[in-house]
Amino acid sequence: MLLQQAGPAGAHPLSGTVADYLWLLPLLPLLGFVVNGWLSLASAYRAGPTDPGAAHGADGQDGHAAHDATGGGAHGDDHHPVARHRYAGLVSLIGPGVLAAAFVLAALIFLAMRSAADVHTPFVQTYFAWMPAGDLALDVAFQLDQLSMVMILIITGVGALIHLFSVGYMRDDPGYARYFAYLNLFVFFMLVLVLGASYPVLFIGWEGVGLCSYLLIGFWFNDKANADAGKKAFVVNRIGDFGFLIAMFMLFANLGRLDFAGVNAAAASLPVGGPVVTAICLFLFLGCIGKSAQIPLYVWLPDAMAGPTPVSALIHAATMVTAGVYLVARSNLLFAMAPVASLTVVVIGAVTAIFAASIALKQWDIKKVLAYSTVSQLGYMFVGVGSGAYVAGIFHLMTHAFFKALLFLGSGSVIYAMHAAYHATHSHDDAQDMRNMGGLKRYLPVTWILMWAATLAIAGVPPFSGFFSKDEILGSLFLRAGHSTLAEAHWLGMPGSVVLYVAYVLGLAAAFMTAVYMTRMMLYTFHGPNRTGDREREHLAESPWIMTGPLVVLGVLSVVGGWFNLPALIPLGPVGALDRWLEPVVGASALRITGGAPVEASHGTEIALILVAVAIALAGILLAVVRLKPERLVPKVESPAEHGFEKVLADKYYVDEAYDAAIVQPLVGISRGLLWRGVDVGIIDRLTRLIVQSKDDDQAVGTSVPMGGWLTRAVGYLGSQLQSGQTGTYAWVLVVGVLFVLGAFTFR
Amino acid sequence: MLAESLFFSAVLFTIGVVGVLTRRNAIIIFMCVELMLNAVNLTFVAFARVYGAGGQVFVFFVMTVAAAEAAVGLAIIIALYRHRQTVDLSNINLLKG
Amino acid sequence: MMTHGALPLFYVFHFYLFGILAIASALAFVTRKSPVAAVLWLVNTMFCLAALYVLLDAQFIGVIQVLVYAGAIMVVFLFVIMLLNLGHPSDVDDVRGTWWKLAGGLVGLALLAQVFAITRPRVPESLTLPAGTIANQIAATGAIAPVAGPLFREYLLAFEVTSVLLLAAVVGAVVLGKRRERAHAR
C-alpha cells in the first residue's frame, strides 16, 4: 500500500506515531469477519447444528420436531436453544477479540493525539488512487482528526462491550458464527465511514452499514416478518441514499472536489446562504433522514427491533443511526454557510423528537419503547448540530451511546430471562411485552439497578451524563434563538428566531415525555407484581456475568459520562473538555453561526435554563410514578384493546399504513399491472414468441393462427429464396454486389 | 491513348457482364467471361505503356490461366451435357436450397 | 484526356477504327442465337483487340493474342460445340425474357457509369515512365524483350507455378471429359 501522509508543508505531527497504524483499525474487524464468516460456512458442509443461513434456508435437523420459527410470539428474538455452534469457542474468542484489539489501538492513537503538538489539520493517509477519471481524482484515503477520534472510541469501545454481551446472549444460536461475522463486518464498515477522508469513501461505509443492518435485522430470516423488516430498513435507507448521492453530484459539479479538505477549501467560493450550498446541505440531510431515522423516514427503526437485541444496541442505538449526525458534523462548514438548511435540520429534529416520544408513551413492547426513544434522541442530536452547537450534538451522541446501549442490553438481559422462563414451560407468550413482566427487580437486581441509572441519564437528571448533554443542546438552542445567523434567517417565511424558540419548546416537551415513558417502562417491567405466570416465575434468573459485566461498564459511563463536557457553571472537573477537543474541527463553523464570537449568556439565564430542564425531568418522573399503577396491568393475552387517542399512539399514528396506501400499494400495482402484465407479458413475451417458437405457443391467444416463430419463419423463407440453385441468379447477385462495392468507392 | 483504351475496355467488360446475366447457354456464358478477360487485358496493356512492362507480363499470365480455365471449364460442360443432355443453365439447379 | 496532337492521324484513326470494331463485334457476339456465330464474332473481337495491342506498343502480346486466344482457345470452344452438336440455333429462345434483358441493360449501364466515375485516370507522376519508353526498348532490343526480361527475373516464380497450373488443368480436363460408360454398366 502506498501510504502518503498529507499535511500542509511538512509532516503532520501525528506521522511517525502509532497513528501510522490507522489502517489496522478497520482491518482488525475485517479479519474477524473473514475468519468468522469462513467458520460459519465451513460448518455448513458437515452435519452440524443447522444455522438457517449456513444451510441456505433449510432449518431443522436439530431434532425439535415442531420448530416454530415465530416462537415466543414477538417477531424476532427467537431461537430455540439447540446444540451450540461447532466453532463457538473459536468465534467467541475472535469476534470480541478483534474489537478489543481495535479498541486498544484506538486508545493508543488517542493518547498519541493528546500528547502530540497542536493538531489543527486532519491526519490523512492515502492508500491508492481509486477513480482517476478526467477531472475527478478520487483516492481511497483515511483521515484522522478529533471528530473521527471520538467516533472511533465510541464505536470500538461500546462495540467491544456489546460483542462481549453477545457471547452470552447468542450462545445457543446455531447462527453464532454468522452473527459475529456480520457484526464484525458492520464495525469494519462503520470505521470506514468515520475514517473516510472523502464523501465517496464515507459513502462506502454508509452503504456497508446499511447492508449489515439488513443482514442483522433479518438474522432469523426463516420468519418472514424478520425478513420483511430487513427489507424495509434497506429500502427506506435507499431513499435517503439517493439524497446523499445527489448531494455528492452537486458537490462535484460546483466545487470539483469530493474530499473533505478540498470541499472545505473550495466551499468559500460559494455564496453564503445561496441556493447551491443550501441544496447540497438539504440533500445531504436527506441522506441523514434515512440513515438516522428522522421524519419521514423513521419507519424502519421500530421494525428493526426484529433483529437480535445486541444488534439493536450496537447498530440502532450507538453507531449506525448516529452516522447521520456525524455527517452533519463533518460537513459543518457547508451547513454553517446555509442557515436555511441548518434551520431545516433543527425543525425536523425537534418535530421528530416530540413525535417519536409521543408514540413511545403507548408502546407495550419493551424494545419498541427503546426504538422510538432512539428516534426521539436522534432528533435531539440533530437539533444540536443543526443549531450550530456541533459539540453539543456530538456530546449527546456519546452519552446516548452509553445509556441507550445500556438500556438495550439491559432489555436484552430481561428478554433473555423471560425467554428462558417461557422455554422452560413451553409457553408461547410474548417475552418482550411489558404486560407479561412486572416486579423483575427481585429476579434481576443487577439489571434493574443499571437500567435505572440509564433511565435517569436519558431523562436528564443530574448528575447523570444525559443531563449534561441534553441541557447543553437545549441551552445552546435557546441562546442561538436569541442571537445567531440562524435567528436572522427565515425558514418558510417565518423568522428564524421564532422557529428556534418553538423548537426549544418542543424539545422541552419531548424531554418531559421522555422522562414519562422511560419511567413507565421501568415501572411496568421491574416494579409491581409479577405477571409472567406462576410456573415461569421460578425460572426467572439474573443473566450470567458475561452479560452483566458490559452492563456495569456502560452503567459507570452513563453516570460519569457527563464529565466529558462539563459546563462552566458546574466545574466539578475540567470544564468543556470535549469543546476544546473538537474545536479545530467545528470551532470555526460554530463561531460563524453565533456571529463571530461565542455566545455568552448571563449566569442568571444559564441557571434558569438548567433549572427548567431539571424541573421538567423530575416532573415527568413524578407524573409517571403517581399516575401509572403497575398493579392494574394484566398479561398481554388478557389485556383490553386501546381506545381513542391512546389507540392512535399505540398504532403509531398509522404512519406505516399511510405509507402503505399512498406509496407501496400504488408501486406494487403499477409493477404488477403495468410493468409485468402490460410490458413484460404483453409486449416482450409477444415479441419473443414472434421470433422463437415454443411448442406450447402454437396458436396466438384468441385466434387459430399459429404465431410461434412467425418472424423467424418468414425471414428464413426469404433467405431460402436466395439459394435457388440457378447459376444465373447467382451471377446476378454477384454483379449487384459489385455495383454496391463500386458505389461505395464512387461516393466515398 | 490511355483514356480511350480504358473506355473501350470498360465497354467491352460491361458487354461481357450483360452477356453473363442475360444468356442461358452455358457455353455462351463462358465465352462472355472470356470477353471480360480480354477487356481486362486491354486495360493492362494500356497501363503498361505508362507504368512499365509489368503490365504486359500480367497479360501473358492472364492468357495462360484463361487457357487452362477454358480447358477445364469446357470439360465440365461436356460432363454436364453427358449427364443432363442440356447446357441450358436454368435446368441445372441441383444446388437449390 | 491525353491530347492527340502529338500522334499521327494514321495512328489515331486506326486506333478508333479497331476500337469501335471490337465493340461492335462484342455486341454482335452477345446477341447471336447460334453458338457458332457467336464464337466467330468473338474471334473477330479478339482480332481487333490484337490490333489494338499492336498499336499500344505490345506487339508480342498482340501476336500471342492471335495465336493463343483466337487460335487455340476459341478453337477449343468450336470443337466442344461441334462435339456436343450444339451448332444449330436452338428452338427455344436462348436469351431470357424481355424483363431480363431490360434489367441486364440497366445493370450494364450502371456498371459502366460507376467504372467511369472511379477510373478517371489520375496518373501519379512518380510512377510514370517517360513517354515512349517501351517503344524505345522495343526499338533497341526487339519486341519480346520487354516481356521476357521481367518474366524470367522478377516473375520467375509465377512463371513456374503457372506451368504447374497448366499441368493440373490438363489432367483435370482429361479426367472430367472422360466417358464413364464402363462404370455405368456395372
Side-chain angles (χ1 to χ4, degrees):
Chain A
M1 278 188 304
L2 189 68
L3 295 181
Q4 300 149 17
Q5 273 87 11
H12 195 273
L14 278 178
S15 59
T17 64
V18 70
D20 275 347
Y21 291 98
L22 189 63
W23 50 269
L24 193 58
L25 207 55
L27 197 70
L28 283 166
L30 185 66
L31 280 172
F33 160 70
V34 169
V35 174
N36 287 330
W38 183 73
L39 287 175
S40 80
L41 289 176
S43 71
Y45 294 102
R46 303 167 208 185
T50 311
D51 169 24
H56 301 293
D59 203 5
Q61 298 176 29
D62 56 2
H64 292 254
H67 180 92
D68 178 15
T70 58
H75 29 248
D77 211 279
D78 172 57
H79 51 279
H80 280 223
V82 292
R84 295 197 68 195
H85 191 272
R86 197 181 196 85
Y87 299 112
L90 195 57
V91 171
S92 308
L93 204 61
I94 295 179
V98 288
L99 255 289
F103 177 68
V104 167
L105 179 61
L108 288 174
I109 296 180
F110 172 67
L111 289 174
M113 250 184 126
R114 279 223 359 205
S115 60
D118 273 334
V119 180
H120 304 291
T121 53
F123 172 68
V124 179
Q125 268 190 346
T126 312
Y127 300 112
F128 57 91
W130 180 20
M131 286 194 233
D135 289 332
L136 179 64
L138 275 181
D139 296 332
V140 168
F142 284 163
Q143 84 170 23
L144 180 69
D145 63 0
Q146 288 83 351
L147 177 62
S148 46
M149 191 73 242
V150 171
M151 298 295 297
I152 291 170
L153 283 171
I154 296 176
I155 295 168
T156 52
V158 177
L161 291 171
I162 294 181
H163 275 69
L164 275 175
F165 183 89
S166 306
V167 170
Y169 189 82
M170 301 288 288
R171 65 175 284 124
D172 292 321
D173 194 299
Y176 193 68
R178 180 168 61 104
Y179 172 84
F180 273 101
Y182 288 162
L183 216 62
N184 281 345
L185 185 68
F186 167 81
V187 174
F188 163 71
F189 276 124
M190 193 70 207
L191 285 172
V192 168
L193 197 158
V194 298
L195 279 175
S198 58
Y199 283 99
V201 177
L202 193 155
F203 193 63
I204 294 180
W206 189 273
E207 295 283 276
V209 297
L211 168 73
C212 294
S213 170
Y214 161 78
L215 289 171
L216 283 164
I217 293 174
F219 186 70
W220 293 301
F221 54 80
N222 280 341
D223 182 359
K224 186 166 189 293
N226 300 344
D228 285 346
K231 265 191 297 184
K232 183 172 180 176
F234 200 81
V235 171
V236 174
N237 248 253
R238 230 15 181 165
I239 302 174
D241 294 346
F242 155 77
F244 196 132
L245 282 169
I246 299 288
M248 279 204 283
F249 297 156
M250 289 185 69
L251 274 173
F252 181 65
N254 289 292
L255 299 177
R257 299 290 297 267
L258 281 172
D259 52 310
F260 295 129
V263 165
N264 288 343
S269 67
L270 291 173
V272 175
V276 171
V277 69
T278 308
I280 291 177
C281 291
L282 284 175
F283 277 114
L284 277 177
F285 186 55
L286 181 59
C288 302
I289 291 179
K291 184 66 74 185
S292 301
Q294 299 295 291
I295 290 176
L297 296 176
Y298 70 93
V299 290
W300 63 271
L301 191 58
D303 283 37
M305 298 299 113
T309 309
V311 167
S312 305
L314 181 61
I315 297 187
H316 306 124
T319 44
M320 184 184 97
V321 291
T322 58
V325 182
Y326 169 76
L327 180 65
V328 175
R330 179 56 81 199
S331 316
N332 56 75
L333 206 90
L334 293 171
F335 276 91
M337 286 172 66
V340 175
S342 295
L343 280 172
T344 312
V345 174
V346 172
V347 167
I348 291 189
V351 172
T352 307
I354 194 171
F355 179 80
S358 66
I359 298 180
L361 283 172
K362 250 326 199 170
Q363 294 299 309
W364 292 109
D365 185 323
I366 193 173
K367 285 181 73 174
K368 288 280 164 60
V369 174
L370 294 175
Y372 284 106
S373 168
T374 305
V375 175
S376 175
Q377 296 300 309
L378 286 166
Y380 271 109
M381 292 181 221
F382 278 112
V383 166
V385 292
S387 63
Y390 301 104
V391 176
I394 298 293
F395 186 34
H396 196 59
L397 193 159
M398 190 165 70
T399 58
H400 177 264
F402 299 149
F403 54 69
K404 192 47 69 66
L406 174 56
L407 282 169
F408 265 112
L409 292 186
S411 74
S413 182
V414 168
I415 294 169
Y416 184 82
M418 296 282 294
H419 222 73
Y422 280 142
H423 188 70
T425 61
H426 298 288
S427 164
H428 285 280
D429 284 349
D430 192 348
Q432 294 179 216
D433 196 303
M434 291 193 290
R435 291 172 287 198
N436 289 342
M437 301 177 188
L440 291 182
K441 71 180 182 200
R442 282 183 283 281
Y443 307 99
L444 296 92
V446 179
T447 309
W448 172 62
I449 300 245
L450 292 170
M451 282 195 76
W452 259 115
T455 302
L456 291 175
I458 196 175
V461 172
F464 293 86
S465 56
F467 156 71
F468 291 103
S469 58
K470 201 182 277 195
D471 172 69
E472 187 170 338
I473 289 182
L474 289 175
S476 310
L477 181 63
F478 186 82
L479 293 173
R480 276 160 183 72
H483 171 71
S484 69
T485 57
L486 299 183
E488 288 146 28
H490 287 264
W491 192 77
L492 291 187
M494 296 178 280
S497 54
V498 170
V499 171
L500 288 176
Y501 278 123
V502 169
Y504 176 75
V505 173
L506 288 179
L508 283 181
F512 179 73
M513 287 194 226
T514 305
V516 173
Y517 68 68
M518 286 309 299
T519 314
R520 167 180 176 269
M521 186 187 87
M522 293 302 291
L523 283 178
Y524 286 170
T525 308
F526 289 103
H527 295 256
N530 179 262
R531 295 175 290 278
T532 315
D534 300 316
R535 290 188 307 146
E536 288 79 3
R537 208 163 296 148
E538 50 206 49
H539 296 279
L540 289 172
E542 181 64 82
S543 311
W545 66 268
I546 192 146
M547 288 166 66
T548 52
L551 291 182
V552 170
V553 177
L554 287 171
V556 169
L557 285 171
S558 301
V559 173
V560 304
W563 258 244
F564 285 116
N565 202 36
L566 292 168
L569 214 56
I570 311 178
L572 295 170
V575 167
L578 196 62
D579 245 334
R580 276 175 289 129
W581 177 255
L582 288 179
E583 197 271 333
V585 183
V586 299
S589 306
L591 281 182
R592 178 185 226 142
I593 288 195
T594 56
V599 55
E600 285 298 330
S602 65
H603 261 225
T605 320
E606 284 214 32
I607 295 185
L609 290 170
I610 292 181
L611 285 178
V612 166
V614 176
I616 294 228
L618 291 176
I621 298 180
L622 202 65
L623 178 72
V625 168
V626 166
R627 290 287 307 228
L628 296 174
K629 297 279 182 260
E631 300 82 34
R632 287 204 234 122
L633 283 182
V634 288
K636 177 183 177 186
V637 290
E638 303 162 26
S639 285
E642 312 280 357
H643 300 288
F645 189 62
E646 290 184 342
K647 186 169 196 306
V648 175
L649 284 183
D651 287 338
K652 316 163 272 152
Y653 293 104
Y654 303 110
V655 172
D656 278 315
E657 287 78 0
Y659 280 167
D660 190 58
I663 299 174
V664 177
Q665 290 306 325
L667 273 177
V668 171
I670 291 176
S671 302
R672 216 172 267 156
L674 180 66
L675 291 177
W676 179 49
R677 277 202 214 108
V679 175
D680 226 8
V681 175
I683 298 178
I684 297 180
D685 277 356
R686 284 236 173 87
L687 263 178
T688 314
R689 278 211 305 276
L690 201 64
I691 297 173
V692 175
Q693 177 169 24
S694 85
K695 59 180 168 60
D696 308 308
D697 289 346
D698 273 341
Q699 280 187 330
V701 174
T703 76
S704 60
V705 175
M707 273 286 282
W710 178 86
L711 190 67
T712 314
R713 284 197 270 135
V715 171
Y717 176 73
L718 282 177
S720 72
Q721 296 300 322
L722 279 173
Q723 306 222 307
S724 59
Q726 302 271 7
T727 329
T729 316
Y730 294 160
W732 261 102
V733 174
L734 188 84
V735 173
V736 170
V738 168
L739 278 179
F740 273 115
V741 171
L742 284 180
F745 278 111
T746 317
F747 300 111
R748 191 153 34 132
Chain B
M1 291 294 106
L2 180 63
E4 289 86 342
S5 314
L6 292 180
F7 169 75
F8 293 141
S9 166
V11 173
L12 286 171
F13 188 87
T14 313
I15 295 174
V17 168
V18 173
V20 166
L21 292 179
T22 49
R23 303 298 298 250
R24 277 207 306 237
N25 192 322
I27 300 185
I28 304 288
I29 292 178
F30 209 161
M31 287 198 285
C32 293
V33 173
E34 297 292 334
L35 178 60
M36 285 198 268
L37 285 170
N38 272 284
V40 168
N41 281 350
L42 180 58
T43 307
F44 274 120
V45 167
F47 273 119
R49 203 153 171 267
V50 179
Y51 289 133
Q56 295 188 13
V57 175
F58 214 99
V59 172
F60 186 90
F61 282 116
V62 170
M63 283 196 207
T64 317
V65 174
E69 167 214 356
V72 176
L74 287 169
I76 292 177
I77 291 181
I78 291 176
L80 203 61
Y81 184 80
R82 290 214 187 103
H83 210 54
R84 284 302 194 108
Q85 261 65 41
T86 179
V87 289
D88 185 343
L89 276 187
S90 51
N91 293 339
I92 300 169
N93 54 2
L94 280 178
L95 286 177
K96 182 182 172 69
Chain C
M1 294 273 272
M2 272 174 72
T3 79
H4 313 288
L7 298 165
L9 182 63
F10 179 81
Y11 180 91
V12 173
F13 168 75
H14 278 92
F15 192 89
Y16 275 106
L17 174 71
F18 284 116
I20 291 172
L21 273 179
I23 291 177
S25 309
L27 281 169
F29 149 66
V30 163
T31 52
R32 292 308 103 199
K33 290 204 188 66
S34 157
V36 175
V39 170
L40 291 174
W41 276 114
L42 188 60
V43 170
N44 191 29
T45 311
M46 291 183 180
F47 272 129
C48 299
L49 282 175
L52 282 176
Y53 294 159
V54 169
L55 284 169
L56 286 171
D57 286 336
Q59 293 89 343
F60 178 62
I61 300 295
V63 170
I64 297 234
Q65 168 96 342
V66 174
L67 279 179
V68 172
Y69 238 122
I73 296 178
M74 302 320 299
V75 167
V76 170
F77 271 102
L78 268 176
F79 196 71
V80 168
I81 291 174
M82 243 176 43
L83 192 67
L84 302 181
N85 207 14
L86 296 170
H88 312 289
S90 41
D91 312 319
V92 183
D93 188 6
D94 183 26
V95 181
R96 298 177 195 263
T98 324
W99 282 115
W100 279 89
K101 282 194 261 189
L102 207 61
L106 276 173
V107 168
L109 282 174
L111 190 62
L112 203 59
Q114 283 191 335
V115 168
F116 275 129
I118 63 172
T119 57
R120 309 249 99 209
R122 288 182 298 274
V123 180
E125 290 300 320
S126 51
L127 289 176
T128 52
L129 305 171
T133 310
I134 302 270
N136 294 339
Q137 245 185 319
I138 293 175
T141 53
I144 307 182
V147 177
L151 191 65
F152 289 109
R153 296 205 192 97
E154 290 102 15
Y155 303 110
L156 183 60
L157 180 64
F159 181 71
E160 301 298 338
V161 171
T162 309
S163 58
V164 175
L165 174 76
L166 284 172
L167 179 65
V170 166
V171 169
V174 167
V175 166
L176 283 169
K178 249 195 197 183
R179 283 184 187 271
R180 295 221 169 88
E181 287 168 40
R182 298 267 168 97
H184 282 305
R186 285 187 199 163

